[in-house]
Amino acid sequence: GRRYHCFHFYSLDIEEEVETRLRTEQRMRTEIEDNRFYNVYQPIIHSGQHDTIYAEALCRWKNSSGKEVPPDDFIPVAEETGLIRELGRRVLRDACRAINSMQEAGHSFITISLNISPVQLANPDFVDEVRAILTEENTEPEHFIFEITESAVMDHMASSIAVLEQIKDMGILIALDDFGTGYSSLSYLKKLPIDILKIDKEFVADMTTDGQDRIFISAILSMARALQLEVIAEGVENAQQAAILNEMGCRYLQGYHFSAPVSFDKMVELSTSQGLKASRSIS
Ligand code: C2E
Ligand code: MG
Ligand code: MG
């Protein structure tokens, strides 16, 4: 009857999903070694001083069949299997090398923002691993921002704070990613040693049509000002959004309006070019 029918489809779905996950996992294991994972970088535009370039590093996987697998498909698998630890080390190492090459070429100071998974944060070796990679690569911690999410710290508040404090003591800044979507409890803001809030793109997307979203953003900005936190708005897709955010006093903007994530070289080129400078000074 109907019950059986439902069960049947349900179990098929699960079977299919398990198989896809397994395939993804096996593939990831070999293809991490084959260097099929790499970083792309999305510029973060700053409306004040222009002597620092900011960008977020985002991981990409072009698999052996030539298919671009989106991070939303492979990051969860990497987290479940623990592969995120190896992936995270590679993302950091790549970023170090990119930073070094840029500093050697005599460009402006660069700050790279990296996403840190809850699984990495919960790993007791995390801080030592970060320190070891920075030492090996000879890259200053001051070049980095680590992005975490509320869900990363929720379950292990005390130990997470301890880890973040150690990261901060090294000279790395901490950003709270996707702010506004998760639990966004004010108690997190009080307890966590964060420097930056990243307003989720969901709010920015509806800002021009939804007055309430605009009110939320403005509230986040005044709260951040009072707490002396910087704010980065994500997902800025058009000039109108950029102009409103600028007017509201949001100093860091990121999104397709300025640039999609691109190769490191392209990002440096864009960040130093007239085009991006022009869109920086909309106000
Ligand atoms: P996220 O950290 O919030 O990154 C922002 C996402 O928004 C990126 O998606 C970026 O390409 C996308 N984006 C940028 N500008 C716009 C815009 O104007 N409009 C819209 N609609 N989207 C925009 P991406 O690269 O697919 O990454 C998705 C998520 O995967 C990231 O979200 C992050 O949570 C995770 N991720 C990516 N790379 C890594 C990594 O190296 N490590 C970890 N742990 N997670 C990563
Ligand atoms: Mg992020
Ligand atoms: Mg985000």
Side-chain angles (χ1 to χ4, degrees), residues 64-103:
S64 49
S65 322
K67 187 176 173 270
E68 283 258 8
V69 188
D72 288 334
D73 289 353
F74 69 78
I75 296 285
V77 179
E79 286 175 332
E80 276 167 34
T81 55
L83 282 169
I84 192 73
R85 290 179 53 182
E86 175 58 20
L87 201 59
R89 285 192 291 266
R90 283 174 181 253
V91 169
L92 178 61
R93 205 177 280 282
D94 262 33
C96 286
R97 292 181 182 169
I99 290 165
N100 291 350
S101 71
M102 190 174 158
Q103 296 309 127

Side-chain angles (χ1 to χ4, degrees), residues 236-257:
V236 181
E237 293 185 351
N238 58 56
Q240 199 189 354
Q241 292 165 346
I244 296 172
L245 286 160
N246 246 296
E247 204 167 304
M248 285 178 163
C250 185
R251 298 200 296 158
Y252 295 84
L253 308 179
Q254 180 182 359
Y256 297 153
H257 172 59

